[in-house]
Amino acid sequence: MVSKEGELLVKILMFLSILGSTQGRRDAVEVRHRRLREASSFSSTPAAEYDYIIVGGGTAGCPLAATLSQNYSVLLLERGGSPYGNGNITRMQNFHIGLADTSPASPSQSFISTDGVINTRARVLGGGTCINAGFYSRASPSFVKAAGWDEELVNESYPWVERRIVYWPDVAPWQAALRDGLVEAGFSPFNGYTYDHIYGTKIGGTIFDKDGFRHTAADLLAAGNPENLRVLLHATVQKIVFDTKGRRPKAAGVRFKDENGKLHRALLKNARHSEVILSSGAIGSPQLLLLSGIGHKKHLKKLDVRLVLHNPHVGKGMSDNPLNSIFMPTRKPVRQSLIQTVGITKKGVFIEASSGFGQSSDSIRCHHGIMSAEIGQLSTIPPKQRSLEAAKRYARDKQNLPREAFQGGFILEKIDGPLSRGRLRLNDTDVDNNPSVTFNYFSHPYDLKRCVYGIRSIEEIVRTKRFARLTVDDAYTMRMLLNMSVQANVNLIPKHTNDTASVEQFCRDSVTTIWHYHGGCHVGKVVDGEYRVLGVSRLRVVDGSTFDRSPGTNPQATVMMMGRYMGAKILRKRLGRAAGA
Ligand SMILES: Cc1cc2nc3c(=O)[nH]c(=O)nc-3n(C[C@H](O)[C@H](O)[C@H](O)COP(=O)(O)OP(=O)(O)OC[C@H]3O[C@@H](n4cnc5c(N)ncnc54)[C@H](O)[C@@H]3O)c2cc1C
Ligand SMILES: *[C@@H]1O[C@H](CO)[C@@H](O)[C@H](O)[C@H]1NC(C)=O
Ligand SMILES: *[C@@H]1O[C@H](CO)[C@@H](O)[C@H](O)[C@H]1NC(C)=O
Ligand SMILES: *[C@@H]1O[C@H](CO)[C@@H](O)[C@H](O)[C@H]1NC(C)=O
Ligand SMILES: *[C@@H]1O[C@H](CO)[C@@H](O)[C@H](O)[C@H]1NC(C)=O
Ligand SMILES: *[C@@H]1O[C@H](CO)[C@@H](O)[C@H](O)[C@H]1NC(C)=O
Ligand SMILES: *[C@@H]1O[C@H](CO)[C@@H](O)[C@H](O)[C@H]1NC(C)=O
């Protein structure tokens, strides 16, 4: 006898295989049917204790849970819902639509840092990989060395991810133009298609397949052992529960809220090796440590959080790589593209591109790709004056923009390893609310200097013969665009000048984010080299909050790799090298 659910599953699998689906898509459907449950289902099952409780089913949490479940029982708690069947997530064309959704059910939770830059955090199984621009590129060998990672295991862990969810892109016209423009402007050699981090120009991988269908970290759960892996959705962890009877506080489990607001307690097995592992992201992990009583005692006291361990470093040293961009109007409309090409310069600046779509009269379809103003990425107002309301206003008003304003693409520059540092602090004790975050963009002069270099590099690329063929640069059009920029409140182009002070001003006024924020639980300050939280037992943090700088040109490859890597590392430690991982 085949169960009803089994029958449905078979039908869906057949349908997908008719569509010529990939292994990843079949795995995804399987995950959806077999293992995902709402958090409220927790109370209806007999009390269980787990070897590992992982908080956050995101970019690092999913591969980590899948790997540990090969040999141990794992409970994975994710505050968001399932990504499957949500077109805002699965379709590349909808990138900006999902991000603009600010409802409580949205897979992205927006926040504005005190700097005024509109930003977002994932809130869905699969985490950032469900809402990001999909570009996939590994960290440099020097990053791996500095992290103290086992190179051989790193070299096995990246392909574990790549085999399952990474593709080579069909290079879009705007990305091909950037590729040629970069090489012509001297950012050479052209290194072809590669995941590796090498100077020059390259095409990287992507988690979008040829049909523009997104594959995510949630798909990696299919590599786990279903007997050992329990995944709960809409399970919001409020705090880590500690056993404080001994000399050293010891994690015992977590307290979480289900989709109906009911509280539950999940417990670790009472064994030396059991662990709670936070993979809640660069905002979520420091926030949870603080809510659980690990942080600066003065700040915790102000909010009446019971102190477990005084550590003034929690939430310190956060940074976000500033993004600045220039719009190039083109003679003809260009196809939408997110990121496929990157120029890796020797001056600590990466150059990438994105193009929107403006062929339709439908205003929802007219957008600027990753630079869309409705997601907070474009504004002529300096950051301090930006707001979510202003972004909404833009979305309404953009109907009045002429189509030319959407005909073209952006070239953007990101600064590698910003020296400007900020901090994260609790604003209140509700885990659903964002903490207060400050990045202090360009507070370090070297960051500003690199932005100026980046903008000038973009100008050089724009002046290449390759771009001259594509773009409109007569004085009339430029004037019109500038005027339009002011009316529409978008920074389509900067005022042309080669005076350093005004390029610096342009950097400050037009700064946005590429969402690569990191830090808050730094190695040596909050966690040790194995990512164990200092001063307590049975607690680790495995995600981008432990990074001192964002890996590679874009971080997702290395964050997923790190989840797999740490899972394998933990298994090897407990089982010896013979562990299947
Ligand atoms: C719009 C956007 C575009 C991007 N583009 C790219 C790109 O093209 N290429 C690239 O390499 N990188 C890109 N990035 C960056 C990359 O996606 C992130 O750096 C990465 O996904 C972060 O991984 P993480 O594991 O640290 O956090 P996340 O993936 O965010 O995982 C954290 C998870 O924890 C959950 N969580 C948090 N708190 C709790 C709690 N209390 N209880 C339960 N669950 C909780 C969250 O819901 C989330 O699912 C982009 C990011 C964004 C937002
Ligand atoms: C997609 O996003 C739009 C808003 O940006 C929202 O109205 C819609 O409900 C979302 N769809 C789903 C399936 O969540
Ligand atoms: C791992 O891969 C990198 C890049 O592909 C290579 O340079 C390095 O030699 C490899 N290291 C090991 C130990 O295999
Ligand atoms: C912090 O809390 C106050 C009061 O609840 C609120 O007005 C403010 O918007 C919050 N700040 C952030 C950054 O969420
Ligand atoms: C900008 O556009 C407005 C309205 O179309 C027009 O009145 C004004 O003269 C223009 N300004 C410049 C500098 O072109
Ligand atoms: C740039 O500056 C140089 C020297 O300061 C000047 O000669 C040149 O005309 C300027 N170019 C432009 C396009 O303003
Ligand atoms: C761990 O799991 C792997 C994969 O399921 C299996 O091959 C291996 O035998 C297991 N090891 C132990 C010690 O149970």
Side-chain angles (χ1 to χ4, degrees), residues 497-513:
T497 170
N498 63 358
D499 156 38
T500 299
S502 59
V503 181
E504 286 178 350
Q505 197 56 46
F506 173 76
C507 286
R508 287 204 168 93
D509 288 348
S510 69
V511 66
T512 58
T513 181

Side-chain angles (χ1 to χ4, degrees), residues 70-71 575 580:
Q70 286 174 11
N71 299 94
L575 301 171

Side-chain angles (χ1 to χ4, degrees), residues 86-88 97-98 100-101 107:
N86 181 342
N88 284 354
I97 296 176
D101 181 2

Side-chain angles (χ1 to χ4, degrees), residues 85-88 96-103 105-107:
N86 181 342
N88 284 354
H96 62 292
I97 296 176
L99 273 187
D101 181 2
T102 53
S103 74
S106 172

Side-chain angles (χ1 to χ4, degrees), residues 332-375:
K332 292 194 193 125
V334 293
R335 175 148 57 89
Q336 182 197 7
S337 67
L338 300 179
I339 303 170
Q340 298 173 334
T341 301
V342 62
I344 302 180
T345 73
K346 291 195 168 152
K347 299 251 170 86
V349 171
F350 303 135
I351 296 171
E352 299 179 346
S354 167
S355 47
F357 191 76
Q359 264 182 312
S360 156
S361 56
D362 171 1
S363 82
I364 300 243
R365 296 287 148 204
C366 282
H367 62 87
H368 287 123
I370 81 163
M371 297 310 300
S372 289
E374 52 268 66
I375 61 178

